[in-house]
Amino acid sequence: MPKRVDHEERRAQIAEALIQVAGRQGLHAVGMRDVAAEAGVSLRLVQYYFDTKEKLLFYGLQHLTTRFTARVGARLAAAGPDPGPRATIEALLLASLPTDEESRTFHLLYSSYSILSVTDAALAAEPFIDNPDAAENALTGLIEQAQASGLADVGADARTEAISLLAMTATMGTSILVGQREPASAIAVLRHHLNRIFSSPRA
C-alpha cells in the first residue's frame, strides 16, 4: 500500500527550506531550485505545491510568522500567569529583536519581504500578515490598561507611545543585523523608554 502523503507537512518542509536558504543568501536571491535542494526534494515537487515563486515566498513568510507568534507566546508564558502590561509589552518587543539565530532570520526576512513588496506587485498584493495593525493595537491597549490602573503616565498618548516603541524596535533590530549595535544596548534603550512610560502618572 503506498505511503499516504501529508501535504501540510510537505508544505512546511519546503517552507523551512526557504527560510534556511533565505536566511543565508537573502530573500531576493532565493530561487525555487535552491529551495528544492535545501529540502532534498525535486524542483517539480516544489512547483507542484507552489506554482510561482511569489506563492512560495508568501507561504514561507506565513510559516515564519506562525513560528514567531509561538516564540512570543513562550516569552509571555515564562513571564508568569499575570505578568501585567509592562512585562507583556517588554516580552513582545524583546521577542522581535534579532538576538539569536531564529529572531535574526525573522527580522531579516520580514524586512526583505517588506522592501521587495514595494517594487513587486505580486508580493504587494498578498501581504503575509493578516492584520498589520495588530501589534500597534495590542500595545496601545496595554498602555491604556496600565494608565487606568495608575501604573503608567496618564499624560502620555497611548497610541503614539505604541507606535514609537514598535518603530524603535524595528530600527534597532536593523542596527543589530548590520553590526552597528549590540543586542544588550538595544535592550537597554527599550527599557529606558518603558521606564519613562511606566512612571509615576502626572496629575
Side-chain angles (χ1 to χ4, degrees):
M1 184 176 179
K3 183 179 179 180
R4 183 178 177 182
V5 176
D6 186 326
H7 294 292
E8 282 307 308
E9 184 178 322
R10 186 56 61 91
R11 283 176 178 269
Q13 176 191 358
I14 294 170
E16 285 289 341
L18 167 68
I19 291 166
Q20 294 303 315
V21 176
R24 294 194 303 267
Q25 300 179 9
L27 200 62
H28 65 285
V30 174
M32 296 180 85
R33 288 184 185 278
D34 302 314
V35 175
E38 182 75 20
V41 300
S42 68
L43 173 61
R44 180 171 294 183
L45 185 66
V46 174
Q47 292 171 329
Y48 170 78
Y49 286 104
F50 307 100
D51 55 359
T52 66
K53 180 180 175 180
E54 288 77 18
K55 289 181 180 179
L56 172 60
L57 294 180
F58 178 68
Y59 185 87
L61 270 293
Q62 282 187 313
H63 182 74
L64 186 63
T65 300
T66 298
R67 278 184 16 187
F68 174 74
T69 301
R71 177 187 177 90
V72 171
R75 276 188 174 272
L76 291 175
D82 186 19
R86 175 179 173 144
T88 300
I89 290 174
E90 189 167 317
L92 289 168
L93 296 177
L94 292 182
S96 64
L97 282 177
T99 55
D100 57 25
E101 193 59 34
E102 182 170 359
S103 56
R104 178 189 177 279
T105 299
F106 176 83
H107 192 95
L108 176 63
L109 300 193
Y110 178 89
S111 301
S112 299
Y113 192 99
S114 299
I115 292 168
L116 286 173
S117 68
V118 173
T119 55
D120 189 318
L123 294 182
E126 290 193 284
F128 67 94
I129 295 180
D130 294 332
N131 183 1
D133 296 327
E136 179 184 317
N137 292 338
L139 263 63
T140 300
L142 286 165
I143 294 171
E144 289 174 341
Q145 177 186 334
Q147 289 172 321
S149 302
L151 300 174
D153 183 356
V154 295
D157 183 271
R159 185 161 297 275
T160 299
E161 296 294 354
I163 294 169
S164 299
L165 287 169
L166 290 168
M168 186 190 315
T169 304
T171 301
M172 289 197 298
T174 300
S175 72
I176 292 171
L177 282 182
V178 301
Q180 178 191 8
R181 187 177 305 281
E182 292 295 322
S185 172
I187 292 170
V189 171
L190 276 178
R191 286 178 173 157
H192 168 78
H193 284 277
L194 287 172
N195 287 340
R196 177 180 55 78
I197 297 168
F198 290 88
S199 61
S200 298
R202 293 196 298 264

mmCIF file of all heavy atoms in Angstrom, residues 35-60:
data_model
loop_
_atom_site.group_PDB
_atom_site.id
_atom_site.type_symbol
_atom_site.label_atom_id
_atom_site.label_comp_id
_atom_site.label_asym_id
_atom_site.label_seq_id
_atom_site.Cartn_x
_atom_site.Cartn_y
_atom_site.Cartn_z
ATOM 1 N N VAL A 35 15.631 26.136 -3.049
ATOM 2 C CA VAL A 35 14.738 25.617 -2.013
ATOM 3 C C VAL A 35 14.578 24.105 -2.145
ATOM 4 O O VAL A 35 14.599 23.372 -1.152
ATOM 5 C CB VAL A 35 13.367 26.318 -2.083
ATOM 6 C CG1 VAL A 35 12.385 25.694 -1.092
ATOM 7 C CG2 VAL A 35 13.517 27.811 -1.810
ATOM 8 N N ALA A 36 14.430 23.636 -3.379
ATOM 9 C CA ALA A 36 14.293 22.193 -3.610
ATOM 10 C C ALA A 36 15.530 21.450 -3.116
ATOM 11 O O ALA A 36 15.430 20.410 -2.450
ATOM 12 C CB ALA A 36 14.069 21.928 -5.101
ATOM 13 N N ALA A 37 16.707 21.996 -3.415
ATOM 14 C CA ALA A 37 17.949 21.354 -2.984
ATOM 15 C C ALA A 37 18.055 21.328 -1.466
ATOM 16 O O ALA A 37 18.455 20.320 -0.871
ATOM 17 C CB ALA A 37 19.148 22.080 -3.594
ATOM 18 N N GLU A 38 17.688 22.436 -0.824
ATOM 19 C CA GLU A 38 17.747 22.511 0.634
ATOM 20 C C GLU A 38 16.787 21.524 1.279
ATOM 21 O O GLU A 38 17.106 20.898 2.309
ATOM 22 C CB GLU A 38 17.414 23.933 1.090
ATOM 23 C CG GLU A 38 17.479 24.177 2.575
ATOM 24 C CD GLU A 38 18.898 24.266 3.098
ATOM 25 O OE1 GLU A 38 19.830 24.508 2.304
ATOM 26 O OE2 GLU A 38 19.075 24.097 4.323
ATOM 27 N N ALA A 39 15.606 21.357 0.681
ATOM 28 C CA ALA A 39 14.587 20.457 1.229
ATOM 29 C C ALA A 39 14.854 18.996 0.881
ATOM 30 O O ALA A 39 14.224 18.098 1.449
ATOM 31 C CB ALA A 39 13.206 20.865 0.719
ATOM 32 N N GLY A 40 15.759 18.765 -0.079
ATOM 33 C CA GLY A 40 16.050 17.400 -0.502
ATOM 34 C C GLY A 40 14.939 16.796 -1.342
ATOM 35 O O GLY A 40 14.696 15.586 -1.290
ATOM 36 N N VAL A 41 14.257 17.663 -2.110
ATOM 37 C CA VAL A 41 13.174 17.199 -2.984
ATOM 38 C C VAL A 41 13.430 17.728 -4.389
ATOM 39 O O VAL A 41 14.340 18.527 -4.620
ATOM 40 C CB VAL A 41 11.794 17.681 -2.477
ATOM 41 C CG1 VAL A 41 11.522 17.144 -1.076
ATOM 42 C CG2 VAL A 41 11.702 19.211 -2.486
ATOM 43 N N SER A 42 12.622 17.288 -5.329
ATOM 44 C CA SER A 42 12.791 17.726 -6.708
ATOM 45 C C SER A 42 12.188 19.113 -6.920
ATOM 46 O O SER A 42 11.281 19.524 -6.199
ATOM 47 C CB SER A 42 12.131 16.740 -7.664
ATOM 48 O OG SER A 42 10.714 16.786 -7.505
ATOM 49 N N LEU A 43 12.695 19.804 -7.927
ATOM 50 C CA LEU A 43 12.120 21.094 -8.304
ATOM 51 C C LEU A 43 10.666 20.915 -8.699
ATOM 52 O O LEU A 43 9.816 21.758 -8.369
ATOM 53 C CB LEU A 43 12.913 21.696 -9.463
ATOM 54 C CG LEU A 43 12.335 22.974 -10.085
ATOM 55 C CD1 LEU A 43 12.264 24.095 -9.057
ATOM 56 C CD2 LEU A 43 13.166 23.395 -11.292
ATOM 57 N N ARG A 44 10.353 19.827 -9.361
ATOM 58 C CA ARG A 44 8.975 19.576 -9.791
ATOM 59 C C ARG A 44 8.032 19.493 -8.595
ATOM 60 O O ARG A 44 6.891 19.973 -8.660
ATOM 61 C CB ARG A 44 8.910 18.285 -10.614
ATOM 62 C CG ARG A 44 7.509 17.954 -11.110
ATOM 63 C CD ARG A 44 7.534 16.801 -12.079
ATOM 64 N NE ARG A 44 8.249 17.150 -13.314
ATOM 65 C CZ ARG A 44 8.368 16.328 -14.351
ATOM 66 N NH1 ARG A 44 7.840 15.108 -14.300
ATOM 67 N NH2 ARG A 44 9.018 16.712 -15.421
ATOM 68 N N LEU A 45 8.518 18.907 -7.491
ATOM 69 C CA LEU A 45 7.659 18.795 -6.308
ATOM 70 C C LEU A 45 7.401 20.181 -5.708
ATOM 71 O O LEU A 45 6.270 20.488 -5.312
ATOM 72 C CB LEU A 45 8.310 17.891 -5.259
ATOM 73 C CG LEU A 45 7.438 17.609 -4.027
ATOM 74 C CD1 LEU A 45 6.208 16.795 -4.420
ATOM 75 C CD2 LEU A 45 8.230 16.874 -2.951
ATOM 76 N N VAL A 46 8.432 21.016 -5.644
ATOM 77 C CA VAL A 46 8.238 22.376 -5.142
ATOM 78 C C VAL A 46 7.225 23.101 -6.014
ATOM 79 O O VAL A 46 6.320 23.783 -5.506
ATOM 80 C CB VAL A 46 9.579 23.155 -5.116
ATOM 81 C CG1 VAL A 46 9.346 24.615 -4.720
ATOM 82 C CG2 VAL A 46 10.556 22.504 -4.140
ATOM 83 N N GLN A 47 7.342 22.941 -7.317
ATOM 84 C CA GLN A 47 6.410 23.604 -8.242
ATOM 85 C C GLN A 47 5.009 23.019 -8.159
ATOM 86 O O GLN A 47 4.032 23.712 -8.482
ATOM 87 C CB GLN A 47 6.950 23.491 -9.668
ATOM 88 C CG GLN A 47 8.220 24.300 -9.888
ATOM 89 C CD GLN A 47 8.867 24.015 -11.223
ATOM 90 O OE1 GLN A 47 8.773 22.899 -11.755
ATOM 91 N NE2 GLN A 47 9.545 25.016 -11.788
ATOM 92 N N TYR A 48 4.894 21.774 -7.739
ATOM 93 C CA TYR A 48 3.576 21.164 -7.561
ATOM 94 C C TYR A 48 2.808 21.881 -6.447
ATOM 95 O O TYR A 48 1.603 22.147 -6.563
ATOM 96 C CB TYR A 48 3.739 19.681 -7.222
ATOM 97 C CG TYR A 48 2.455 19.005 -6.773
ATOM 98 C CD1 TYR A 48 1.491 18.618 -7.706
ATOM 99 C CD2 TYR A 48 2.201 18.763 -5.419
ATOM 100 C CE1 TYR A 48 0.313 17.996 -7.299
ATOM 101 C CE2 TYR A 48 1.032 18.150 -5.005
ATOM 102 C CZ TYR A 48 0.089 17.773 -5.954
ATOM 103 O OH TYR A 48 -1.080 17.164 -5.544
ATOM 104 N N TYR A 49 3.518 22.219 -5.365
ATOM 105 C CA TYR A 49 2.874 22.885 -4.235
ATOM 106 C C TYR A 49 2.802 24.397 -4.413
ATOM 107 O O TYR A 49 1.867 25.038 -3.918
ATOM 108 C CB TYR A 49 3.606 22.553 -2.940
ATOM 109 C CG TYR A 49 3.355 21.143 -2.459
ATOM 110 C CD1 TYR A 49 4.314 20.149 -2.616
ATOM 111 C CD2 TYR A 49 2.142 20.805 -1.870
ATOM 112 C CE1 TYR A 49 4.070 18.851 -2.187
ATOM 113 C CE2 TYR A 49 1.885 19.508 -1.437
ATOM 114 C CZ TYR A 49 2.857 18.538 -1.595
ATOM 115 O OH TYR A 49 2.604 17.256 -1.181
ATOM 116 N N PHE A 50 3.777 24.956 -5.095
ATOM 117 C CA PHE A 50 3.844 26.413 -5.275
ATOM 118 C C PHE A 50 4.204 26.707 -6.724
ATOM 119 O O PHE A 50 5.369 26.578 -7.113
ATOM 120 C CB PHE A 50 4.887 27.023 -4.331
ATOM 121 C CG PHE A 50 4.710 26.638 -2.897
ATOM 122 C CD1 PHE A 50 5.487 25.633 -2.335
ATOM 123 C CD2 PHE A 50 3.758 27.267 -2.108
ATOM 124 C CE1 PHE A 50 5.321 25.269 -1.007
ATOM 125 C CE2 PHE A 50 3.582 26.904 -0.775
ATOM 126 C CZ PHE A 50 4.365 25.901 -0.228
ATOM 127 N N ASP A 51 3.220 27.077 -7.519
ATOM 128 C CA ASP A 51 3.484 27.225 -8.955
ATOM 129 C C ASP A 51 4.196 28.520 -9.319
ATOM 130 O O ASP A 51 4.617 28.704 -10.461
ATOM 131 C CB ASP A 51 2.193 27.074 -9.771
ATOM 132 C CG ASP A 51 1.099 28.034 -9.316
ATOM 133 O OD1 ASP A 51 1.333 28.789 -8.369
ATOM 134 O OD2 ASP A 51 0.018 28.015 -9.930
ATOM 135 N N THR A 52 4.327 29.448 -8.354
ATOM 136 C CA THR A 52 5.113 30.655 -8.593
ATOM 137 C C THR A 52 6.012 30.922 -7.386
ATOM 138 O O THR A 52 5.718 30.465 -6.270
ATOM 139 C CB THR A 52 4.223 31.902 -8.806
ATOM 140 O OG1 THR A 52 3.532 32.202 -7.578
ATOM 141 C CG2 THR A 52 3.222 31.681 -9.934
ATOM 142 N N LYS A 53 7.082 31.640 -7.621
ATOM 143 C CA LYS A 53 7.986 31.992 -6.520
ATOM 144 C C LYS A 53 7.252 32.866 -5.510
ATOM 145 O O LYS A 53 7.478 32.739 -4.295
ATOM 146 C CB LYS A 53 9.214 32.718 -7.064
ATOM 147 C CG LYS A 53 10.194 33.125 -5.976
ATOM 148 C CD LYS A 53 11.408 33.853 -6.532
ATOM 149 C CE LYS A 53 12.313 34.344 -5.409
ATOM 150 N NZ LYS A 53 13.510 35.052 -5.921
ATOM 151 N N GLU A 54 6.375 33.752 -5.984
ATOM 152 C CA GLU A 54 5.645 34.634 -5.070
ATOM 153 C C GLU A 54 4.802 33.834 -4.080
ATOM 154 O O GLU A 54 4.754 34.156 -2.889
ATOM 155 C CB GLU A 54 4.760 35.602 -5.856
ATOM 156 C CG GLU A 54 5.498 36.691 -6.604
ATOM 157 C CD GLU A 54 6.146 36.197 -7.882
ATOM 158 O OE1 GLU A 54 5.758 35.109 -8.377
ATOM 159 O OE2 GLU A 54 7.049 36.885 -8.394
ATOM 160 N N LYS A 55 4.143 32.777 -4.563
ATOM 161 C CA LYS A 55 3.326 31.953 -3.673
ATOM 162 C C LYS A 55 4.193 31.211 -2.658
ATOM 163 O O LYS A 55 3.807 31.031 -1.499
ATOM 164 C CB LYS A 55 2.485 30.971 -4.484
ATOM 165 C CG LYS A 55 1.353 31.653 -5.251
ATOM 166 C CD LYS A 55 0.525 30.640 -6.022
ATOM 167 C CE LYS A 55 -0.607 31.342 -6.779
ATOM 168 N NZ LYS A 55 -1.418 30.385 -7.558
ATOM 169 N N LEU A 56 5.380 30.794 -3.104
ATOM 170 C CA LEU A 56 6.314 30.134 -2.191
ATOM 171 C C LEU A 56 6.768 31.106 -1.109
ATOM 172 O O LEU A 56 6.780 30.770 0.078
ATOM 173 C CB LEU A 56 7.515 29.607 -2.974
ATOM 174 C CG LEU A 56 8.679 29.054 -2.145
ATOM 175 C CD1 LEU A 56 8.230 27.892 -1.284
ATOM 176 C CD2 LEU A 56 9.824 28.621 -3.065
ATOM 177 N N LEU A 57 7.129 32.320 -1.505
ATOM 178 C CA LEU A 57 7.565 33.324 -0.534
ATOM 179 C C LEU A 57 6.445 33.664 0.441
ATOM 180 O O LEU A 57 6.667 33.783 1.648
ATOM 181 C CB LEU A 57 8.030 34.590 -1.252
ATOM 182 C CG LEU A 57 9.285 34.485 -2.120
ATOM 183 C CD1 LEU A 57 9.595 35.831 -2.754
ATOM 184 C CD2 LEU A 57 10.469 34.004 -1.315
ATOM 185 N N PHE A 58 5.246 33.828 -0.079
ATOM 186 C CA PHE A 58 4.096 34.177 0.750
ATOM 187 C C PHE A 58 3.850 33.101 1.805
ATOM 188 O O PHE A 58 3.699 33.408 2.997
ATOM 189 C CB PHE A 58 2.866 34.344 -0.145
ATOM 190 C CG PHE A 58 1.601 34.660 0.612
ATOM 191 C CD1 PHE A 58 1.441 35.867 1.260
ATOM 192 C CD2 PHE A 58 0.558 33.744 0.647
ATOM 193 C CE1 PHE A 58 0.275 36.157 1.954
ATOM 194 C CE2 PHE A 58 -0.615 34.024 1.336
ATOM 195 C CZ PHE A 58 -0.751 35.235 1.983
ATOM 196 N N TYR A 59 3.865 31.842 1.387
ATOM 197 C CA TYR A 59 3.617 30.752 2.331
ATOM 198 C C TYR A 59 4.766 30.644 3.330
ATOM 199 O O TYR A 59 4.549 30.440 4.534
ATOM 200 C CB TYR A 59 3.461 29.427 1.584
ATOM 201 C CG TYR A 59 3.077 28.282 2.498
ATOM 202 C CD1 TYR A 59 1.739 28.028 2.794
ATOM 203 C CD2 TYR A 59 4.048 27.469 3.081
ATOM 204 C CE1 TYR A 59 1.383 26.987 3.650
ATOM 205 C CE2 TYR A 59 3.701 26.442 3.946
ATOM 206 C CZ TYR A 59 2.366 26.207 4.211
ATOM 207 O OH TYR A 59 2.015 25.186 5.078
ATOM 208 N N GLY A 60 5.997 30.810 2.847
ATOM 209 C CA GLY A 60 7.150 30.713 3.723
ATOM 210 C C GLY A 60 7.141 31.767 4.804
ATOM 211 O O GLY A 60 7.445 31.489 5.976
#
